[in-house]
Amino acid sequence: MASTMTLPEQHGAPGSSGPPHVPVLLDRVVALFADAPEGVYLDGTLGAAGHAAAVLEARARRHGRASLVGLDRDPHALALAETRLARVGDAVETTLVRTRFDALGEVLDGLGIERVAGIFLDLGISSMHVDEAARGFSYRQDGPLDMRMDPDLPRSAADLVNQLEPRELARILRRFGDERFADRIARAVVAARPLTRTTELAEVVRNAIPAAARRTGGHPATRTFQALRIAVNGELEALEQVLPAALERLATGGVLAVLSYHSLEDRPVKRAFAAAATGCVCPPNLPVCACGRTPLVEHVIRKPERPDADEVAVNPRATAARLRAVRRLESHP
């Protein structure tokens, strides 16, 4: 019988606004993990469990049963996931934990699980966050300037916008948003303080950018909102920490797949996968290997796969998605 074990931190109630979330590259992700060995499947960015439910159904058909450890920092998302996963079937066992994905090693240790058959990370922002104006992620809808994926985080986007010095604010916009007008925007934001609403900030950013630049490249506030969201939630720091831990916890034949949505996310994934797939690093003129290094993984998807035109037509938010995956070659004691 299917069972859901919820750790004490989980809370919240189902409910959503806006259109339902459409999982990106769903069929490809399902195929990757359906072929993984029997064992626990870990979804580090569970969300509303769109990918997880489909993966579990496929794994249950292949192995006769399936087990999930699902992580998410958002209690609202976990409540939605719990409701959805309860309908998957009796051959599925689920364990949901409210935490950020870079705590996966601690979670697995606490559950007495040494290795897993698969790990999936869907990076970036989910549709449920963008579509709910009260969460403050969207520059297109008026809402409080929040942007916290975990509502218990100490700093919101409003705190950064209203408290940081112009130089530090500009640094965040450049580093996490590749914003070429970071200094202009930072000065305009400081001059307009206090800012408490998403549409207020979007208008300040729009007016700070030269008119010619506003006519191309999408909404002028896109990069600013991305940068603030990444800074508020510590997204890139968490990604850098989780990748080596995830690779180490894979069982032999286990698969790690990562969906990213911009180069700031994709670059560390590419580097980590390439390093883990590299064997001997001795100089070419050395006749015998002295380093003893062997590859930890092999590439399953080396060049990132993208959604096709049909999927993008149905789900425009999938446009920037890129999927990479590796398979564990051997497990170490």
Side-chain angles (χ1 to χ4, degrees):
M1 180 178 182
S3 64
T4 301
M5 188 273 284
T6 304
L7 296 193
E9 293 87 347
Q10 181 182 342
H11 54 84
S16 63
S17 61
H21 173 63
V22 181
V24 177
L25 287 170
L26 181 61
D27 291 343
R28 186 65 172 112
V29 171
V30 168
L32 284 172
F33 291 109
D35 292 338
E38 186 173 1
V40 174
Y41 163 70
L42 188 147
D43 191 320
T45 49
L46 187 62
H51 284 103
V55 168
L56 289 173
E57 288 174 346
R59 289 183 60 77
R61 287 194 298 270
R62 184 178 182 90
H63 301 295
R65 59 184 298 277
S67 297
L68 165 75
V69 173
L71 313 181
D72 205 288
R73 62 172 79 181
D74 186 340
H76 178 66
L78 282 175
L80 292 174
E82 187 169 26
T83 299
R84 185 172 200 163
L85 292 169
R87 301 193 294 265
V88 170
D90 291 341
V92 172
E93 179 181 356
T94 62
T95 301
L96 309 186
V97 185
R98 182 184 171 191
T99 192
R100 203 167 71 171
F101 57 57
D102 55 327
L104 69 83
E106 298 171 20
V107 171
L108 292 176
D109 288 343
L111 296 171
I113 299 171
E114 183 177 359
R115 305 284 179 186
V116 296
I119 299 174
F120 179 57
L121 303 175
D122 186 356
L123 306 176
I125 188 170
S126 75
S127 295
M128 75 177 74
H129 291 140
V130 175
D131 294 332
E132 190 174 347
R135 301 298 296 272
F137 287 93
S138 175
Y139 45 77
R140 298 187 184 278
Q141 303 183 74
D142 184 54
L145 199 52
D146 195 320
M147 301 193 196
R148 290 174 295 179
M149 295 179 182
D150 178 349
D152 293 333
L153 286 176
R155 293 193 311 174
S156 68
D159 294 325
L160 300 185
V161 164
N162 291 304
Q163 295 174 11
L164 292 181
E165 295 295 326
R167 181 177 298 180
E168 177 61 16
L169 184 56
R171 185 192 68 82
I172 286 174
L173 299 184
R174 279 192 295 269
R175 181 183 178 193
F176 299 141
D178 289 327
E179 177 55 72
R180 60 183 172 134
F181 300 111
D183 291 322
R184 293 177 62 136
I185 293 170
R187 289 195 299 268
V189 165
V190 171
R193 288 173 177 171
L195 295 169
T196 61
R197 310 294 294 182
T198 54
T199 49
E200 290 176 345
L201 176 61
E203 185 65 14
V204 169
V205 173
R206 181 185 181 281
N207 292 335
I209 292 176
R214 295 200 298 263
R215 290 192 285 268
T216 60
H219 195 288
T222 299
R223 290 176 293 274
T224 293
F225 272 64
Q226 173 186 296
L228 290 172
R229 188 203 80 223
I230 290 173
V232 165
N233 295 287
E235 294 174 34
L236 296 184
E237 294 91 336
L239 179 60
E240 294 279 3
Q241 293 171 22
V242 75
L243 291 170
L247 289 164
E248 186 57 36
R249 299 307 285 252
L250 287 176
T252 300
V255 172
L256 169 59
V258 182
L259 262 175
S260 60
Y261 296 86
H262 52 77
S263 59
L264 290 174
E265 294 172 342
D266 185 56
R267 279 197 295 264
V269 176
K270 179 181 179 180
R271 287 196 301 264
F273 284 6
T278 299
C280 176
V281 292
C282 292
N285 59 351
L286 198 66
V288 179
C289 174
C291 71
R293 180 185 172 99
T294 58
L296 184 67
V297 300
E298 63 180 354
H299 289 282
V300 179
I301 303 174
R302 182 190 296 268
K303 183 178 180 181
E305 294 186 5
R306 311 292 291 266
D308 61 23
D310 290 339
E311 179 171 354
V312 171
V314 174
N315 182 18
R317 288 176 181 164
T319 303
R322 51 196 96 178
L323 177 66
R324 295 182 187 270
V326 291
R327 180 181 293 109
R328 180 75 181 248
L329 292 174
E330 61 176 311
S331 293
H332 299 293

